[in-house]
Amino acid sequence: SFGASLWMKKEWVRMARVVIAEANERIIRTYGDNFVHVSEIDYFVEHTPSGRVPGGTDILGRRTTGPGELEKNIAGYIGTLIKDGDCLEIGVGGTAEWVAQLGILDSRHDLGWHSENTVRGIGTLVMNGVITGKNKNIHKGRAVATAVGGGTKEEMDFINDNPLFEVYSSNYILDPRVIASHDNVVAINSAIALDLTGQIAAESVGTVMTSGSGGQLSFAIGAYLSKGGRSVVAIPSTAKDGALSRIVPILEPGTVVSTPRTLADIVVTEYGIARLKGKTQRERALELVAVAHPDFRADLKKEAERLYWP
């Protein structure tokens, strides 16, 4: 068993000339397509404990400090977008991840789960019967991902050897056709910045890389093609302690566009919800100005008029 996460390990095992496996009796066992036969392993080495306490960090290994008012406000707005029976994906990131932990989903019924990672709080929602997968078109009744680590110890104990959770290759999980086979997909992801056209940057500021692409584009496409699907980007309105607006007229040269404006749908900041899908360029700009930090709205409006009201 590959334990809490699979990614492309199974494919790598089958492509490699030599396969070395670290045997760790402490990792959990999961269902799905998350096993290889012992005959496919050439060498085993014994695991040396790291001393890391489960739940002490998030899924990326970052220390968690807890949500502030900003994260709570953003999560509250996102909660209004989620309906009973929706199939959720939540990406890693300091803003999006809190949606599952702040109680805003506790009153929902029969949610589904198909996601790249399984962020903290999802195990509890399955435990409490909020996520049931009852309305999923495939893997009905199962919470599906390529990684289920990152939860609290209680959540990881619950996931261990529990057939309600299934782990599959990232090639499968991130296939937009597989994602779109679910109805009412709600993909929730974080971003670093976006411009007034709706271009979403989640990887770099200029040429300085801060993150990888993850599954954001795959889930944006999948949600776009899903019947009733929605793609949500959660982003704080400012950076650098309020000195910089994350909503900008034009992205800094060299910035990697993680999701193109053609797939931009819903943007949420602590100031509200901007709906971009199907809107004209001028309408998009006004939607985004309305959810920017008040200190930057006048300048953004002025730049929008310069750029898009010739």
Side-chain angles (χ1 to χ4, degrees):
S1 171
F2 287 106
S5 63
L6 179 56
W7 302 103
M8 291 182 62
K9 295 173 190 173
K10 197 164 185 174
E11 289 92 336
W12 294 334
V13 164
R14 303 226 163 120
M15 290 188 293
R17 290 185 297 107
V18 177
V19 179
I20 304 171
E22 183 182 19
N24 181 0
E25 64 182 10
R26 299 184 181 187
I27 67 171
I28 66 172
R29 291 175 64 86
T30 48
Y31 287 76
D33 187 25
N34 198 23
F35 297 85
V36 292
H37 193 269
V38 67
S39 65
E40 297 182 72
I41 308 297
D42 296 299
Y43 300 98
F44 287 94
V45 296
E46 189 174 354
H47 171 73
T48 301
S50 66
R52 176 182 170 188
V53 179
T57 60
D58 67 10
I59 201 166
L60 295 181
R62 302 166 302 185
R63 290 289 177 185
T64 55
T65 58
E69 284 304 309
L70 182 147
E71 289 82 8
K72 292 176 182 178
N73 288 339
I74 291 176
Y77 283 120
I78 292 175
T80 67
L81 302 171
I82 298 172
K83 306 172 185 176
D84 291 347
D86 284 343
C87 185
L88 304 184
E89 175 265 339
I90 301 176
V92 298
T95 309
E97 282 187 46
W98 291 109
V99 172
Q101 302 176 54
L102 291 172
I104 65 169
L105 302 179
D106 291 355
S107 62
R108 302 296 185 272
H109 299 90
D110 295 320
L111 297 177
W113 184 251
H114 180 100
S115 186
E116 182 181 27
N117 292 290
T118 301
V119 298
R120 190 176 305 181
I122 295 301
T124 300
L125 291 171
V126 176
M127 201 183 308
N128 293 339
V130 175
I131 293 177
T132 65
K134 176 182 176 181
N135 296 312
K136 294 178 70 176
N137 296 334
I138 58 173
H139 305 292
K140 190 179 291 288
R142 300 290 185 267
V144 172
T146 197
V148 294
T152 64
K153 185 179 185 305
E154 182 183 19
E155 287 180 318
M156 298 306 288
D157 288 344
F158 177 69
I159 294 170
N160 184 29
D161 208 23
N162 188 335
L164 293 178
F165 294 85
E166 294 182 347
V167 173
Y168 292 90
S169 165
S170 56
N171 282 342
Y172 175 78
I173 292 294
L174 296 176
D175 187 331
R177 296 167 297 183
V178 175
I179 297 167
S181 67
H182 300 88
D183 294 339
N184 302 307
V185 168
V186 181
I188 304 166
N189 289 286
S190 300
I192 300 171
L194 71 152
D195 68 15
L196 293 178
T197 73
Q199 293 189 115
I200 298 165
E203 301 167 63
S204 80
V205 177
T207 58
V208 178
M209 301 300 296
T210 62
S211 182
S213 60
Q216 182 170 143
L217 179 59
S218 295
F219 279 97
I221 296 170
Y224 185 88
L225 297 174
S226 165
K227 181 180 178 181
R230 284 143 280 156
S231 178
V232 181
V233 169
I235 183 170
S237 65
T238 63
K240 301 289 185 181
D241 295 323
L244 299 174
S245 175
R246 291 181 183 266
I247 297 174
V248 295
I250 300 173
L251 291 174
E252 184 177 328
T255 298
V256 174
V257 175
S258 307
T259 302
R261 68 186 187 89
T262 48
L263 291 172
D265 186 2
I266 300 170
V267 174
V268 178
T269 74
E270 69 271 33
Y271 292 103
I273 300 170
R275 299 177 185 272
L276 307 184
K277 188 174 182 179
K279 298 288 178 69
T280 67
Q281 184 52 71
R282 293 178 180 180
E283 290 171 335
R284 284 172 171 236
L286 292 176
E287 286 275 327
L288 290 168
V289 169
V291 298
H293 192 284
D295 290 350
F296 297 97
R297 288 178 191 170
D299 287 341
L300 286 170
K301 178 70 165 24
K302 184 177 179 180
E303 278 297 288
E305 290 173 348
R306 183 182 69 82
L307 292 166
Y308 305 120
W309 276 262

